[in-house]
Amino acid sequence: MKNILVVGGAGYIGSHVVKMLKAQGYNPVVYDNLSKGHPQAVQDVILEEGDLGDKTRLAEVFQKHHIEAVMHFAAFIEVGESVKEPSKYYHNNVSSVLNLLDCMVEHQIFYFVFSSTAATFGEPIHPKISETHPQNPINPYGNTKLMVEKILEDFDHAYGLKSVALRYFNASGADESGQIGESHTPETHLIPLVLQAAAGKRESIKVFGNDYPTPDGTCVRDYVHVNDLARAHILALEKMEKENKSLRYNLGSGSGFSVAELINQAKAITGIDFKVEYQARRAGDPAVLVADPAKAQAELGWTPQYDLKQIIATAWNWEKNRRF
Ligand code: UFG
């Protein structure tokens, strides 16, 4: 399976997967409407501009490039915005995926890799979240991703469309080449915001809450490097194809770091003592989100290779020299 359509391949995670697919001998073709993605993130790869709502355009691209599998990264990702504007999220993250899946079935393309999220689990009831943890999202963003997971189960049953759903924990870091990295507008993620404070592009980093039931009172998250995630996509794609079955994996390191710990590491790595301001909690943030990556380790042979220091160092390299 060589010709892979990467929907949202001009975005943060998509562009890292595209680069790795190419390096491993695949022919990725990017399909992106560039509403959030960056054309500069697509290097030496065909970029087909188009929208998921446009079935004619999708069909044209499927045929032109003899697409054999689809990876889907194009989604809205902000939890807070999803609470305020759920309609936008259900249209973009659910309806348009349905369109894509229908189009795949019409063109007899039966392999799909889906970007899911730890947000499908909601408030954790176990310290580490495994694939058997109940899925009870607490915001529309998590709902949309879980809905697509359910749609995928039904599409497998009815049409034999096989899928991998990868539930990312906190995707972070940047490619070591410095050519691609994280660039969201607006930026809401902790690591880029911390590094922008270090770079003097922001006055301070605002910490959302220090009264959580965690050792230092700030939220604990499981940070996983974007290239570790990219590697997991290719391993999972290959396993799905080889075994012709649908798969689900939680992708994190299994280690949690608090916001305060991360800020201290960032100060040490950058050598800059930037300003930190404590504020009230942000709505919808669980205290602790840490993956149990045992299944991905056992079945894919996947173990993250970047630790938090390397994640921050690669993100810092990107922040200092960002191209877009
Ligand atoms: N945080 C701050 N200050 C900021 C930004 C974030 O203190 O300026 C805190 C948040 O409160 C949270 C932690 O830093 O405790 C991480 O926040 P991020 O926004 O970087 O990431 P989230 O854990 O909220 O969300 C990420 C993805 C989501 C996904 C979720 C799943 O961005 O898309 O992981 O776990 F749904």
Side-chain angles (χ1 to χ4, degrees), residues 111-126:
Y111 293 107
F112 187 70
V113 181
F114 177 60
S115 295
S116 190
T117 168
T120 59
F121 293 105
E123 283 291 348
I125 56 171
H126 304 301

Side-chain angles (χ1 to χ4, degrees), residues 210-279:
N210 60 354
D211 56 350
Y212 282 97
T214 59
D216 64 23
T218 64
C219 287
V220 171
R221 292 289 181 276
D222 183 337
Y223 296 90
V224 56
H225 194 278
V226 64
N227 276 344
D228 280 321
L229 290 179
R231 205 158 38 81
H233 284 74
I234 300 174
L235 291 169
L237 171 74
E238 289 170 353
K239 185 176 170 74
M240 165 174 64
E241 185 205 9
K242 189 164 154 233
E243 298 179 7
N244 197 40
K245 69 175 189 195
S246 291
L247 303 163
R248 303 287 180 261
Y249 295 107
N250 293 359
L251 299 179
S253 68
S255 299
F257 291 90
S258 74
V259 173
E261 284 175 315
L262 189 147
I263 289 172
N264 287 337
Q265 288 229 17
K267 286 186 175 181
I269 288 164
T270 60
I272 299 167
D273 187 16
F274 49 88
K275 190 171 162 198
V276 180
E277 287 180 273
Y278 287 91
Q279 296 201 334

